[in-house]
Amino acid sequence: MEYFFQQLINGITLGSVYALIALGYTMVYGIIQLINFAHGEFFAAGGYVGVIFMSYLLSQGAPAWVCLSGSLILAMAYCAMLAMAVEKVAYKPLRSSSRLSVLLSALGMSIFLQNGLMLTQGVYDRAYPTELTQGGFEFGTVMLSYMQLFIVSLTAFLLVALNFLVFKTRIGKAMRSTAQDKIMSALVGINSNRIISLTFAIGAGLAAAAGIMVGLYYGSVRYDMGFVPGIKAFAAAVLGGIGNITGAMIGGFIIGMVEIFAAGYISGEYKDVFAFLILIGVLYFRPSGIMGENVDDTRV
Amino acid sequence: MKRSIMTALLVSAILMLSAGMVFAKTLKVGTMGPLTGPYAADGNDIKNGVLTAVEVVKANGGIPGFDDIEVMPQDTACEPRQAVATANKLINEEANGVVGAYCSSATLPASEVLDEESIIMITPASTNEKVTSRGLPYMFRMCGRDDDQGFIALKFMQEKLGAKSVYIVDDKTAYSQGLADGVEKMCEAAGIKVLGHEHVNQGDKDFSAILTKVKTSNPDVFYMSMQNSATGALMLIQAKRMGIKAARLAQDAVYHPQLMEIAKDAAEDVYLTFGYIDNNAPAYKEFYAKYQPKHGEPGAYSGYAYDSAMAYFKAVKAAGATDPEKVKAELMKLDYDGATKHIKFKPNGDSGSNYIIRKVENGKFINYWNPATGKLY
């Protein structure tokens, strides 16, 4: 039983990370029907901005909470701006062309950003400070580290904040209406370009937060770290119903849990197999994903 | 009269120039290793080791008969297909010799291609048995072999740790899984209980599920066979957080300064099998003095790459030519103390294994246990 609880804690932690990244995919897809392949790179960039700033703050003798929140805010802001720039350069000019060209542009952007990170930051792993991540609670043999607690609670906070933003504020309303019908919402006075830009920014900000948490929790970042979690989070977004925010959260937690439990009870070799089997299974019976609505393509 | 002198001078000048051009020869050495991707650190170590060797040779007057030594670094990315492509590229660019590659899975196919063109290849780092067991005439190896390495790991578990049980984790490459499978077989034969043998994927960061398994089965030894030191470091951090008490034993690919840089105190007291290097040997000191200021602390295989290149240069110098048969004959004759080990090639191209147990202590690798004597250093 203790084994089960330990794996449950592991699963929730991993799931939180996937959920945060998946949100970016799903929000961008929801608003302009683009699968933003460069999204994993925002995650990696966030991890790097975090480690650079955090090491600086620590060397200046700043207390732990200043280091954490300071680098978190800076990384999120940086990645939000990066995402807006990417959107302006690579996606906006192609908005009226076919969806395939935007998709290719996204793939290209992903390669460009990853290599940019490699050239500027080097090919070696960059270590995160470990001073902040020591310790935890012990319940018998079950360990709950402070870091896991931090990841899960920060994710929960960000998810609640995002839900509030999207469903309770004017900006959220504008986002939802732009997702439904760009032309109509423009007619009622919504600046859809600004809303799209903002969506990119929020998604990338969440990915940056995930990047910092991954760096802190696992201990290091590397320029190509965005690729694998990017794919997993994309799968999570599709599983939950791409375009649906609640779905992306649920999808992220499911993929994380399935991976951990498959590795814990069957074999580590096959954990990805099971994660993607679940995906295929769900899509077979519910092609639009768990929370996805059946929307016809004429809407766009 | 005046004009004819001028013409004669001009003609002779042109002749001399062109003669100079004909005799100006460059020795071309290719390096192969992953310069991008997850193992880029190790590929760059190899490249830097070779560059250091060139620097040393040039400072000592170069190689007679050659005006210059050109290094052609190639990126294999540790992928078999790209390794073959880079081997072909080196052939087209008329490389005389090659130092590389890093991953066994890259060295194996690349060496087939290079051998067809009779190009000498010295691998500083590929430990898989097959590298030299295929009978390729121009394939040499500066490092040890995995069957020897696995045996030393077993010997250490039995004799020093007195282990009764082991849990093995590898990350599924030709090298890491090959080694782990070998260790598993040897442990079973020697009566050490293998409580589990798990595999993780390339690019994974989260090992919590598997480490929970390790912790629950409570082995005496936790054996990690990772292709990459950074991955090993991440696993050690999580193992410490999880509270795994088993002795942790890793292998040569985890042996890299990166391990302590990332894992910090989680890497303390980790044991590793690695070739014996005498840090106080004059040849090693010479290498270190040249390498460290430019490229930082030497990686696991920087020294072996340096020795591979030096051995090749010595052989070319002795042969006075790049003809592969002559160079091979000279390589076979080599018998000297290199930076990392005593260099004397066996007929199959191996230069012998000298694995010992090292340990991380206060953030540094130290020589720990000598399997030949069964004593601590």
Side-chain angles (χ1 to χ4, degrees), chain A residues 144-230:
Chain A
L144 172 63
S145 64
Y146 294 141
M147 241 0 261
Q148 285 174 320
L149 208 60
F150 172 69
I151 289 183
V152 175
S153 42
L154 182 64
T155 304
F157 169 75
L158 288 173
L159 294 186
V160 171
L162 182 71
N163 259 316
F164 179 79
L165 178 81
V166 172
F167 295 106
K168 294 279 183 317
T169 63
R170 277 175 70 89
I171 293 175
K173 203 178 238 175
M175 283 166 90
R176 281 178 290 140
S177 70
T178 308
Q180 276 177 14
D181 192 329
K182 263 184 271 315
I183 297 167
M184 199 55 215
S185 43
L187 277 177
V188 295
I190 293 169
N191 186 342
S192 61
N193 278 337
R194 190 180 293 163
I195 291 298
I196 291 171
S197 218
L198 188 71
T199 310
F200 268 88
I202 294 172
L206 294 175
I212 290 197
M213 295 193 311
V214 162
L216 271 174
Y217 182 54
Y218 298 118
S220 77
V221 286
R222 185 164 60 207
Y223 71 94
D224 63 350
M225 69 187 261
F227 181 70
V228 174

Side-chain angles (χ1 to χ4, degrees), chain A residues 19-276:
Chain A
L20 272 187
I21 310 175
L23 281 171
Y25 277 108
T26 227
M27 287 172 71
V28 166
Y29 186 88
I31 208 153
I32 56 170
Q33 282 74 45
L34 162 73
I35 295 162
N36 183 13
F37 281 108
H39 189 66
E41 269 52 64
F42 299 143
F43 164 73
Y48 264 103
V49 174
V51 69
I52 293 167
F53 194 58
M54 202 177 289
S55 309
Y56 171 76
L57 282 182
L58 269 178
S59 71
Q60 300 298 311
W65 68 271
V66 175
C67 291
L68 285 176
S69 51
S71 50
L72 199 63
I73 290 166
L74 188 79
M76 288 175 79
Y78 175 83
C79 284
M81 284 191 291
L82 180 68
M84 288 198 274
V86 165
E87 196 268 333
K88 196 135 202 155
V89 173
Y91 306 145
K92 199 176 164 198
L94 295 170
R95 204 170 287 156
S96 52
S97 45
S98 81
R99 274 160 79 169
L100 191 62
S101 357
V102 198
L103 202 68
L104 288 177
S105 180
L107 270 175
M109 213 56 215
S110 163
I111 296 171
F112 173 79
L113 289 175
Q114 192 182 107
N115 283 283
L117 212 51
M118 182 182 86
L119 290 173
T120 52
Q121 300 299 325
V123 292
Y124 294 83
D125 274 60
R126 175 105 192 228
Y128 256 82
T130 45
E131 295 93 304
L132 311 171
T133 59
Q134 310 280 359
F137 303 106
E138 262 180 85
F139 309 99
T141 59
V142 181
M143 303 277 289
L144 172 63
S145 64
Y146 294 141
M147 241 0 261
Q148 285 174 320
L149 208 60
F150 172 69
I151 289 183
V152 175
S153 42
L154 182 64
T155 304
F157 169 75
L158 288 173
L159 294 186
V160 171
L162 182 71
N163 259 316
F164 179 79
L165 178 81
V166 172
F167 295 106
K168 294 279 183 317
T169 63
R170 277 175 70 89
I171 293 175
K173 203 178 238 175
M175 283 166 90
R176 281 178 290 140
S177 70
T178 308
Q180 276 177 14
D181 192 329
K182 263 184 271 315
I183 297 167
M184 199 55 215
S185 43
L187 277 177
V188 295
I190 293 169
N191 186 342
S192 61
N193 278 337
R194 190 180 293 163
I195 291 298
I196 291 171
S197 218
L198 188 71
T199 310
F200 268 88
I202 294 172
L206 294 175
I212 290 197
M213 295 193 311
V214 162
L216 271 174
Y217 182 54
Y218 298 118
S220 77
V221 286
R222 185 164 60 207
Y223 71 94
D224 63 350
M225 69 187 261
F227 181 70
V228 174
I231 298 279
K232 300 263 175 70
F234 174 57
V238 174
L239 177 65
I242 192 148
N244 184 302
I245 288 176
T246 322
M249 298 176 202
I250 295 173
F253 280 108
I254 290 179
I255 295 270
M257 296 280 208
V258 169
E259 254 188 39
I260 292 286
F261 280 104
Y265 284 96
I266 303 160
S267 159
E269 217 171 347
Y270 292 109
K271 69 181 171 78
D272 292 0
V273 176
F274 283 98
F276 286 98

